[in-house]
Amino acid sequence: MKIAVCVSHVPDTAARINIGSDGKSIDPAGVTFVVNPYDEFAIEEALKTKEKLGGETVAISLGGDANKETLRKALAMGIDNAVLLKDDSYRDSLSVAKALAEEIKAQGAELVFFGKQSVDYDNSVVGQMTSELLGYNCVSVAVSFTLDGTKVTCEREIEGGKEVVETTLPAVVTAQKGLNEPRYASLKGIMAAKKKVIEEKQPAASANYVEVAAMKRPAAKQAGKIVGTDSSAVPELVRLLREEAKVI
Amino acid sequence: MAKFLVFIEQRNGQIKKSSFEAAKSAADLAAKLGGTVEAVAVGNEIANLDSLGGFGVSKVYHLKNDSLADYSPSAYTEAVTKFASENGSETILFGATSMGKDLAPRVSAKLDAGLAIDCVALNVEGSEIIATRPVYAGKALVDVKVTSAKKVYALRPNVFAAGTPTDAKAEVAVTNLDSPNLSVKVTEVKKAEGKLDVAEADIIVSGGRGMKAPEHFAMIEELCQVLGAATGASRAVVDAGWRPHAEQVGQTGKTVSPTLYIALGISGAIQHLAGMRSSKYIVAINKDKDAPIFQIADYGIVGDVFEVLPKFIEEVKKIKA
Ligand SMILES: Cc1cc2nc3c(=O)[nH]c(=O)nc-3n(C[C@H](O)[C@H](O)[C@H](O)COP(=O)(O)OP(=O)(O)OC[C@H]3O[C@@H](n4cnc5c(N)ncnc54)[C@H](O)[C@@H]3O)c2cc1C
Ligand SMILES: Nc1ncnc2c1ncn2[C@@H]1O[C@H](COP(=O)(O)O)[C@@H](O)[C@H]1O
């Protein structure tokens, strides 16, 4: 079985974000980029599935040359092959999904793992979109995954609990924290990954339907009130919550 | 004139609050841009669909089948997409709940429509809708325009006011759905027993590493009980195994917008703030006056949580008595 995993390359979650001179995107200067944290769960699940059932794994990323770093990391963790869909321009989620769907089809992958969300634009949509474009079944925000023949069973997180979801291959699963513990790349893996060739392809163009008009900083919150330094401040705090904020 | 369509989410036959928020938002947009506001609900028995009239919806289409009481991604996608196409709906609104976030992108792909998800504001400029949404874990916001003919928006729960409903009743049209596509099927819903989820709570009391040990969360649970609040947690305590992941607030946990967020012994790391900074009021109790949480807190006590919290519980009990 061919298993694909889609990975995005994003600013480290601790990075300071400055808005670029275009006023529409971030200034990448000084920002460290990493494998999207949720995609590490996706990579791990692809590896575990292959270890159990055999098959071949491929990591796919759409973006500029810098995304090769993230693909290299996937290879170092043990993914067999990597494809860069090279495109430096802005693409909205649906346009990304269209390019990924084309490549997944070309790869003939029957099982595809995504992260639940890319921590740059925080959309949490590309996996679901791609599945619909492919006509694959899809479970999003999965915290467990089992494959029995062609039967897929997952638990997905919802408000106040979990849903148990059943479906069949071909399928897309988007990974939530809790699905597994991603492994560290071994030294051997890192050395082997360096020697591997990352295949580059030109994805087909498609229109963007979502245009960024402006990027801005959230309004700075007014400095709050320090009510006190010990429990003697509690009655005043409770009064403020009740009378000023009117929330309790 | 635009045709607005609001997806009505139901769980156990009850309409979710986020759907009222979406309905009211659609009505506000229609008031500015002109147009009609209709709604579509998928499920079996659903209570009070006509009450959506009070939020500005003229007609509710109830697509009904007894196998659709619980969510089915495939069946719901097919039903909503087919309905929206046939009905000629142009702008479709969802609540960005766990169901909405699963469904909206599928519908968007099926309709070849642009999607703005997790919106925190919808403004009208001229004849265009400008949606504002947080990016980079809330460290920045983007204003986006959806330029395709059909447009899909999903609104972050608890951010848009549903307002006080009027007495107006919506017309309800029930259509029985034959043989829904159950290729992806929810076979069981596991409820966390009797617990309010942080994603749905109006008040959240969260504890961090400053709580020192898992057993001390009993105090937080006691406070939650008195306030009708949900218990939240920082990642540090979830990773330590003190609390379940479902309670984690932040970048790799849940994004919440309660009316009141109380942070106890939480430093306020950027990844934690990512999940709760849009809370209306934030209270912090932390012994370190330089803890970043104080930069976004409305009210703070710089002090020992073990000294302050018991008194806080006592005072709140007094006013709730
Ligand atoms: C990719 C990534 C994703 C992450 N996602 C999340 C996420 O979703 N959610 C999240 O929360 N974190 C997340 N983190 C972790 C985050 O960076 C912090 O490590 C974490 O939030 C710290 O938790 P804390 O505030 O409980 O602990 P600490 O940072 O250790 O803070 C404990 C606080 O308690 C105070 N304290 C100690 N004793 C007392 C006392 N007796 N009385 C009062 N105050 C006291 C201290 O002054 C301190 O401020 C993520 C990190 C990464 C790298
Ligand atoms: N440019 C991309 N290349 C490959 N995979 C992507 C890309 N963008 C998003 N994804 C995948 O889609 C998931 C959800 O991303 P998003 O919908 O952008 O939050 C990510 O976790 C990745 O698995």
Side-chain angles (χ1 to χ4, degrees):
Chain A
M1 180 174 55
K2 188 84 161 266
I3 304 167
V5 47
C6 294
V7 290
S8 61
H9 187 63
V10 299
D12 181 17
T13 56
R16 269 190 71 89
I17 294 297
N18 290 311
I19 294 167
S21 53
D22 64 354
K24 294 180 181 185
S25 59
I26 63 160
D27 176 359
V31 176
T32 316
F33 282 74
V34 296
V35 182
N36 181 38
Y38 294 106
D39 300 352
E40 293 194 19
F41 303 119
I43 294 168
E44 177 63 34
E45 206 60 28
L47 293 172
K48 273 173 57 181
T49 308
K50 178 191 153 169
E51 283 159 8
K52 219 184 308 166
L53 303 170
E56 196 185 344
T57 52
V58 59
I60 307 168
S61 188
L62 181 144
D65 274 325
N67 289 41
K68 284 185 183 167
E69 257 178 71
T70 274
L71 289 169
R72 247 336 135 219
K73 170 99 191 269
L75 292 171
M77 284 172 76
I79 296 289
D80 300 313
N81 300 304
V83 179
L84 174 66
L85 300 176
K86 197 162 184 264
D87 189 350
D88 290 299
S89 53
Y90 163 77
R91 279 190 179 235
D92 68 20
S93 305
L94 191 51
S95 166
V96 170
K98 285 173 183 171
L100 294 175
E102 273 308 305
E103 183 56 25
I104 291 162
K105 217 186 292 168
Q107 293 281 345
E110 278 179 87
L111 176 60
V112 193
F113 291 103
F114 286 75
K116 90 154 188 187
Q117 180 172 342
S118 226
V119 304
D120 45 9
Y121 264 63
D122 291 331
N123 279 308
S124 65
V125 302
V126 170
Q128 298 93 300
M129 286 175 167
T130 307
S131 76
E132 291 297 340
L133 297 170
L134 286 165
Y136 282 19
N137 295 320
C138 171
V139 184
S140 67
V141 200
V143 291
S144 75
F145 167 80
T146 53
L147 180 62
D148 181 5
T150 62
K151 186 179 163 206
V152 173
T153 308
C154 292
E155 286 182 324
R156 68 183 296 267
E157 253 182 18
I158 61 166
E159 294 84 1
K162 285 175 188 164
E163 282 172 344
V164 181
V165 187
E166 285 183 8
T167 190
T168 51
L169 295 181
V172 163
V173 173
T174 84
Q176 164 69 319
K177 181 177 185 253
L179 180 61
N180 52 43
E181 271 307 319
R183 66 195 65 187
Y184 290 99
S186 65
L187 193 59
K188 197 169 137 234
I190 295 169
M191 298 311 288
K194 282 194 180 143
K195 294 201 200 94
K196 285 196 180 157
V197 180
I198 293 174
E199 193 182 346
E200 282 188 37
K201 292 189 181 175
Q202 195 70 48
S206 63
N208 284 320
Y209 298 153
V210 180
E211 198 183 291
V212 178
M215 183 178 282
K216 53 197 188 187
R217 289 208 163 279
K221 245 194 125 143
Q222 263 189 26
K225 195 182 285 180
I226 297 297
V227 190
T229 56
D230 57 31
S231 60
S232 66
V234 167
E236 173 63 2
L237 174 63
V238 171
R239 189 194 67 78
L240 287 166
L241 290 174
R242 197 163 174 82
E243 289 168 21
E244 192 175 271
K246 301 190 170 67
V247 288
I248 62 173
Chain B
M1 290 289 277
K3 282 190 84 162
F4 290 90
L5 181 68
V6 184
F7 171 75
I8 303 305
E9 173 174 348
Q10 58 85 21
R11 294 261 183 199
N12 303 318
Q14 303 295 320
I15 302 171
K16 298 297 269 187
K17 178 165 158 258
S18 54
S19 296
F20 294 121
E21 294 165 6
K24 179 65 165 58
S25 301
D28 289 347
L29 291 173
K32 289 179 194 152
L33 292 165
T36 55
V37 182
E38 296 173 327
V40 62
V42 184
N44 191 27
E45 298 299 335
I46 309 175
N48 301 325
L49 282 174
D50 61 353
S51 69
L52 285 157
F55 300 90
V57 173
S58 59
K59 186 164 179 181
V60 186
Y61 296 87
H62 175 182
L63 311 181
K64 190 171 174 188
N65 184 298
D66 58 9
S67 63
L68 296 178
D70 282 330
Y71 182 48
S72 156
S74 50
Y76 278 48
T77 301
E78 205 169 276
V80 173
T81 308
K82 190 157 168 280
F83 175 79
S85 301
E86 288 173 3
N87 187 50
S89 311
E90 292 160 322
T91 303
I92 310 177
L93 282 81
F94 291 81
T97 56
S98 64
M99 189 191 292
K101 280 183 158 178
D102 186 67
L103 187 57
R106 296 170 188 262
V107 170
S108 142
K110 283 283 221 199
L111 293 175
D112 201 36
L115 163 65
I117 199 159
D118 210 19
C119 301
V120 293
L122 293 175
N123 289 301
V124 171
E125 266 176 33
S127 60
E128 285 181 321
I129 298 172
I130 309 284
T132 304
R133 51 182 310 276
V135 291
Y136 298 98
K139 288 183 242 178
L141 295 164
V142 284
D143 286 340
V144 300
K145 282 187 218 171
V146 180
T147 56
S148 45
K150 290 187 175 158
K151 305 171 181 16
V152 181
Y153 300 90
L155 317 188
R156 181 178 285 191
N158 268 333
V159 173
F160 293 81
T164 315
T166 66
D167 292 334
K169 295 284 175 229
E171 184 190 337
V172 180
V174 182
T175 311
N176 288 309
L177 272 189
D178 296 329
S179 50
N181 170 5
L182 294 169
S183 57
V184 190
K185 194 172 177 326
V186 172
T187 54
E188 190 188 345
V189 180
K190 294 184 178 172
K191 273 261 159 215
E193 222 24 78
K195 276 205 176 166
L196 190 57
D197 191 76
V198 286
E200 301 205 296
D202 229 20
I203 302 180
I204 297 171
V205 186
S206 284
R209 191 146 40 196
M211 293 303 297
K212 296 285 193 289
E215 56 272 22
H216 296 146
F217 275 77
M219 282 193 285
I220 293 188
E221 285 181 338
E222 188 184 354
L223 180 58
C224 285
Q225 187 122 52
V226 187
L227 286 172
T231 306
S234 72
R235 173 163 166 183
V237 303
V238 171
D239 283 355
W242 298 359
R243 303 300 301 178
H245 180 252
E247 290 180 2
Q248 185 180 318
V249 171
Q251 185 148 19
T252 39
K254 293 192 175 130
T255 302
V256 298
S257 304
T259 314
L260 175 61
Y261 189 91
I262 303 178
L264 304 169
I266 291 181
S267 59
I270 187 81
Q271 297 93 349
H272 188 80
L273 302 188
M276 45 65 76
R277 68 189 319 151
S278 59
S279 307
K280 291 202 182 68
Y281 283 92
I282 298 169
V283 171
I285 300 174
N286 192 305
K287 67 177 181 188
D288 173 11
K289 70 170 181 12
D290 296 321
I293 192 77
F294 286 121
Q295 285 164 22
I296 65 155
D298 298 276
Y299 305 113
I301 293 183
V302 179
D304 185 343
V305 70
F306 295 101
E307 198 250 341
V308 178
L309 183 54
K311 177 81 177 163
F312 190 66
I313 295 171
E314 186 191 313
E315 287 293 315
V316 173
K317 273 187 180 159
K318 264 193 228 159
I319 61 163
K320 293 281 175 188

